[in-house]
């Protein structure tokens, strides 16, 4: 079974600085999807960024980018120019190509200091 | 922008009682999901539903749980006889298709079993 691990329960960063959230996963599959979801307080989870395992190029969405290291089974999220609105719980998630379920990590709570 | 909605936001029930958690997925979506998050633990997949049938379920989703799409808009999760350990946040999600990579999440229902 696949597992996802986020080793940082909490992170904090100064506004306008860059922060990296870590995620590792375990799988025997070669094709899959990886995601970062953001959950602001009392709000629904929204997709921040996704990566298809067959793509070597790291995904980027505006200030959010990933460092996908397939061999190391690592999928970190970098947030550049952090903003107060980035404060949230961030979940890393895995999905097999042929399955529908998402497998989540424990989450990292990100605090932005003004 | 279309959103997944869930009602109620918080439900308190006594052990042994039946509860029904309600979700309205995004209107043109075809796949529906329930996840739960026990306080302090990971978000866990419960079940996926397509074409009025369960398409995938986890080992958590035992005979105490059932899902239904009673009309064209609602998607419900029923717990027949609640236990203390059912206390959790329950998230509904939907996606456009099986190949639809993104799952859109609702804000969750907090279930407290006393």
């Amino acid at each position: 079974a696949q597992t996802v691990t986020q080793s940082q329960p909490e992170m904090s960063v100064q506004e306008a600085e860059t922060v990296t959230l870590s995620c590792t996963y375990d799988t025997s599959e070669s094709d899959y999807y990886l995601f970062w979801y953001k959950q602001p307080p009392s709000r629904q989870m929204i997709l921040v960024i996704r990566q298809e395992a067959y793509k070597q190029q790291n995904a980027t969405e505006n200030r959010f980018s990933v460092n996908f290291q397939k061999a190391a089974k690592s999928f970190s999220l970098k947030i550049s120019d952090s903003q107060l609105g980035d404060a949230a719980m961030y979940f890393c998630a895995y999905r097999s190509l042929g399955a529908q379920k998402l497998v989540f990590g424990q989450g990292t709570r990100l605090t932005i200091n003004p | 922008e279309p959103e997944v909605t869930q009602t109620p936001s918080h439900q308190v029930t006594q052990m042994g009682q039946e509860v029904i958690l309600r979700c309205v997925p995004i209107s043109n979506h075809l796949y529906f999901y329930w996840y739960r998050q026990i306080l302090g633990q990971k978000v866990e997949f419960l079940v996926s539903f397509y074409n009025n049938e369960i398409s995938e379920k986890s080992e958590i989703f035992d005979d105490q749980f059932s899902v239904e799409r009673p009309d064209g808009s609602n998607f419900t999760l029923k717990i027949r006889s609640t236990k203390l350990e059912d206390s959790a946040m329950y998230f509904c999600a939907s996606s456009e298709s099986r190949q639809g990579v993104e799952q859109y999440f609702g804000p969750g229902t907090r279930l407290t079993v006393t």
Side-chain angles (χ1 to χ4, degrees), chain A residues 12-51:
Chain A
S12 63
V13 65
Q14 291 296 124
E15 193 176 2
E17 294 190 349
T18 295
V19 64
T20 299
L21 308 184
S22 301
C23 172
T24 59
Y25 58 95
D26 189 28
T27 184
S28 58
E29 299 172 336
S30 57
D31 286 327
Y32 46 86
Y33 300 101
L34 294 165
F35 307 87
W36 279 99
Y37 276 88
K38 169 186 175 181
Q39 186 182 36
S42 304
R43 299 279 303 276
Q44 46 258 69
M45 275 192 283
I46 55 174
L47 182 65
V48 174
I49 199 166
R50 71 168 183 257
Q51 175 82 40

Side-chain angles (χ1 to χ4, degrees), chain B residues 99-110:
Chain B
Q99 278 67 44
V101 179
E102 181 170 358
Q103 293 182 15
Y104 293 78
F105 282 80
T109 292
R110 180 168 298 285

Side-chain angles (χ1 to χ4, degrees), chain A residues 3-5 33 35 37 39 42-45 47 50 52 91 95 98-106, chain B residues 3-4 31 33 35 37 41-45 48-49 55-56 91 98-103 105-107:
Chain A
T3 58
V4 177
T5 302
Y33 300 101
F35 307 87
Y37 276 88
Q39 186 182 36
S42 304
R43 299 279 303 276
Q44 46 258 69
M45 275 192 283
L47 182 65
R50 71 168 183 257
E52 289 87 347
F91 292 98
R95 195 189 113 184
Q100 294 154 41
K101 71 175 184 182
L102 293 169
V103 178
F104 285 90
Q106 304 94 320
Chain B
E3 288 187 335
V4 176
Y31 282 83
Y33 313 87
Y35 293 81
Q37 185 181 28
Q41 298 187 21
K42 294 185 179 187
V43 176
E44 301 171 291
F45 169 78
S48 62
F49 190 84
S55 49
E56 191 175 346
F91 295 103
R98 184 181 181 88
Q99 278 67 44
V101 179
E102 181 170 358
Q103 293 182 15
F105 282 80

Side-chain angles (χ1 to χ4, degrees), chain A residues 84-96:
Chain A
L84 295 177
D86 295 333
M89 194 72 147
Y90 285 82
F91 292 98
C92 178
Y94 171 103
R95 195 189 113 184
S96 298

